[in-house]
Amino acid sequence: MKIYVTSVFVDDQEQALRFYTDVLGFVKKHDIPLGTARWLTVVSPEDPDGTELLLEPSGHPAVPPYKTALVEDGIPAASFAVDDVRAEFDRLRELGVHFTQEPLEMGTVTTAVLDDTCGNLIQIVHSE
């Protein structure tokens, strides 16, 4: 068994697609219309057949309080592996990305947390 799709709830699918592709560097995998929403997934360009991230609309009534609680408590909705947290932090900051946690070393793990502009905090992480 392996993870096929995981999701983050986004306030605006088009805005999320731009952020996750143009800024974070993922590539669009699926874009299938589903009424007023879309089955919209992105993948890592390094693993195009790997785990897909669904940019899922925040339409369900339980989603807004859930997302608000996570953000208020500083809890990331997802975590993405990078080769070098500090280099990725610098690259993304140059692109105007807002970080709620600058790179933090915790033993063999370095993390940073960013705002995805779609209502989520996202952690980037590197482990040695």
Side-chain angles (χ1 to χ4, degrees), residues 16-35:
L17 180 61
R18 282 191 306 274
F19 183 82
Y20 280 80
T21 56
D22 297 346
V23 177
L24 296 185
F26 291 102
V27 293
K28 182 169 59 174
K29 175 86 175 196
H30 295 288
D31 189 352
I32 302 166
L34 295 171

Side-chain angles (χ1 to χ4, degrees), residues 48-112:
D49 295 320
T51 304
E52 296 176 40
L53 179 66
L54 174 62
L55 304 176
E56 189 162 355
S58 296
H60 189 281
V63 173
Y66 167 76
K67 285 175 58 175
T68 297
L70 288 180
V71 170
E72 286 177 356
D73 290 345
I75 300 171
S79 184
F80 303 142
V82 297
D83 291 332
D84 183 333
V85 169
R86 291 190 182 285
E88 195 64 15
F89 171 83
D90 291 341
R91 180 186 80 81
L92 292 172
R93 200 155 224 191
E94 284 291 316
L95 293 172
V97 173
H98 170 70
F99 280 81
T100 62
Q101 176 202 304
E102 295 197 7
L104 178 63
E105 292 181 23
M106 298 169 283
T108 60
V109 176
T110 303
T111 66

Side-chain angles (χ1 to χ4, degrees), residues 109-128:
V109 176
T110 303
T111 66
V113 178
L114 60 95
D115 179 338
D116 77 349
T117 73
C118 302
N120 302 292
L121 298 179
I122 302 295
Q123 181 179 63
I124 56 174
V125 62
H126 174 79
S127 140
E128 302 202 17

